[in-house]
Amino acid sequence: MQNLPIKERFSVPVSSVPYERNDWKKGYLSQPNEYDYWIDEVEGEIPSSLQGTLFRNGPGLLEVNGQRIHHPFDGDGMICAIAFDNGRAHFRNRFIRTEGYLKEQQAGKILYRGVFGTQKPGGWLANAFDFQLKNIANTNIIYWGGKLLALWEAAEPHRLDPKTLGTLGKDHLDGLLEEGNAFAAHPRIDPNCEQDDGSPVLVNFAIKPGLSTTITIYEFDPQGKLLHSQDRSVPGFAFIHDFAITPNYCLFFQNPVSFNPIPFALGLRGAGECVKFEPKKPTRILVIPRNSKEPVQILETQSGFVFHHANAFEQDDKIYIDSICYESFPEVEANSDFREVDFDAIAPGQLWRFTLNLNDKTVQRRLLEERCCEFPYVHPNHVGHPYRYLFMGAAHNPTGNAPLQALLKLDAVTGEQQLWSAAPQGYVSEPIFVPRPDGTEEDDGWVLSLVYDASRHRSDVVILDGRDFNRGPVARLHLKHHVPYGLHGSWTPNVF
Ligand code: FE
C-alpha cells in the first residue's frame, strides 16, 4: 500500500483500536469446503415474512494448493446462498467452476497471473508477456431475467443454477457479448423506468480501456431482453468500477489515475499494480444521457478516488451523487502482504455528496459522513431517486481508518445515525436492505450482513431491523464454518 502522511484526525490512539490484527487476518483464511444445510443455531427469531434468497459473492480461496495469491481481489469466486423460508434458513456455498479454477485445482498450482499482482511461480521470466486473464467471477451476483449470474468486471458473467449453485458456464447474454468481453460487476436496477412503461430495468456498463475509453451502457427488461445499448467514447484512460443512475442519466467518476503497462508486460507487476494515482489532476464526472443522443457532459471536481457510489438523484435542476471517496487510490505494492496493511497510513473511505449543476458546469461537494465506511446500500425503490436512508459497513471508531466492524444507518436528511457494532471480534460485510413486503416507510425492512466472528472462527448471518439498529439483531444465524470476507451480493424474493 502507498504510504501517505498521517493526518491528525486519522490517527487513533493504540489503546482505542477496537480489534486485533490477528483476528482480522483470520477472516482471510480460505474456505475450501462446500456446504449444504439448514441453519439450526439461531439466536432470536427469523422474521416469517422474510421470504427469499440472499446471494453473496467473494473470494473463497486465498491460495492455490498453499501458494498464496497476492490480493483478495485475485481469489476464486465462491457463492453463498442463504434461503429464507417461513422462519427457517438454509445455507449453501459453491465455488464457481471457472476454467481457471478447474485448471488450477487440477494442476495444484497457480497457472494464471492475477490483475492485482498474483504471479505464476518462477519469477518475472515466467510471467513476462503473459496477458491471459483468469475470469475469476468473484465480485457480485445477480438474479435477473431468470438467470443467476456471477459477475467480474473484466470479462463475461458465469451463469449458475440458482437451486444448486452449479456452474452452467459463461454467459454471453444471448450473443450480446463476445468471448472475453467485459461486463461490469455493478449493475443498477432502475425501479420504475419510464422508457419501459414503469417496469424495473437493469442498467449495466462495460469499459474498454485505452488512450481513450469506450463505455458501453446496456439496459435490460425484467425478462433479461436488451432494451437498448449505447457506446460512448471519453478521452483518457479510465479505471471505473461502479456507476450511478438517475431516470435520465448514467454517472461515472473518471478517477485521476494513469496506467503504465510496462511493468505488467515485463512480468514484474500485475495490471492493477500499474495504476498510479495522480493527485494533481481533477476527478472527471461523466454525465451520459440514458434516453437521448445528446453528448456526454464532463464536469470536474476535486481529486480523490471512488470505488462505490451510494445513490444519485435529480432534484431542482441539479444532480446529486453520494459516493465513498478516498483521498488517494490505495495502490497495491508488488512486495507487500495485504494482511500487514498499515491502516493508519491510509486515509479512510468517507461519504461525500456531490452536487452537479449542468447549467454552469460546476460541482460542489460536502462531507456527509466522516466515519470510515464502505459498501453503501439504499432501499431498492429509491435507486436513482431522492432518498433518505443509507446502510453501510463502517469502522467501530468514529474517526480513523480500520476494518469494517459495524453497520451504520445514516439519515441523509437529518444526519442522524444508528450504529450496530460487532467489535471487538466481529467483522461485517456489505449490508443488504430487504424491504418488508407490506412496509411503507423507507427504512421498514431488514438489513442482512454476513459477519465474521473471530472468537469462534465462524461466520453469522445477522438480521437487523432497518427502523431501529439500537434494538440489536432481530436474529443471528450461526453458520457451522467461516466465510472469507466477501465483496457484493443481492437479494431476490424467490426462495431457492
Ligand atoms: Fe464493488
Side-chain angles (χ1 to χ4, degrees), residues 15 96 140 162 178 186 274 384:
S15 60
I96 301 152
N140 203 347
E178 287 173 25
H186 275 283
C274 298

Side-chain angles (χ1 to χ4, degrees), residues 57-134:
N57 197 353
L61 289 183
L62 285 300
E63 88 234 46
V64 179
N65 199 19
Q67 291 173 6
R68 273 188 175 187
I69 59 170
H70 188 62
H71 194 281
F73 292 172
D74 285 343
D76 288 301
M78 184 184 84
I79 305 300
C80 296
I82 299 113
F84 294 89
D85 191 18
N86 292 313
R88 297 184 70 203
H90 181 275
F91 178 89
R92 176 178 291 127
N93 71 310
R94 290 291 180 275
F95 279 91
I96 301 152
R97 266 60 179 178
T98 64
E99 196 187 325
Y101 170 83
L102 291 171
K103 282 188 175 165
E104 288 188 329
Q105 290 306 306
Q106 200 176 17
K109 62 178 182 183
I110 294 174
L111 299 175
Y112 298 84
R113 303 177 73 188
V115 172
F116 289 89
T118 301
Q119 300 277 52
K120 295 184 287 183
W124 68 272
L125 264 176
N127 290 277
F129 303 106
D130 180 354
F131 304 116
Q132 227 191 133
L133 283 179
K134 177 186 174 191

Side-chain angles (χ1 to χ4, degrees), residues 73 139-140 153 185-186 241-242 307-308 374-375 430 487-488:
F73 292 172
T139 314
N140 203 347
E153 67 193 28
H186 275 283
H241 174 68
D242 189 12
F307 284 108
H308 296 127
E374 249 302 354
F375 298 129
E430 174 191 62
L487 294 167
H488 301 288

Side-chain angles (χ1 to χ4, degrees), residues 193 195 217 219 228-232 246-250 287-297 314 358:
C193 178
Q195 316 303 314
I217 295 166
E219 305 214 9
H228 67 91
S229 69
Q230 52 167 324
D231 289 330
R232 301 286 192 149
T246 68
N248 293 302
Y249 301 101
C250 288
V287 183
I288 302 182
R290 282 175 65 188
N291 313 312
S292 79
K293 297 256 182 289
E294 293 291 308
V296 179
Q297 297 192 60
E314 299 168 39
L358 295 186

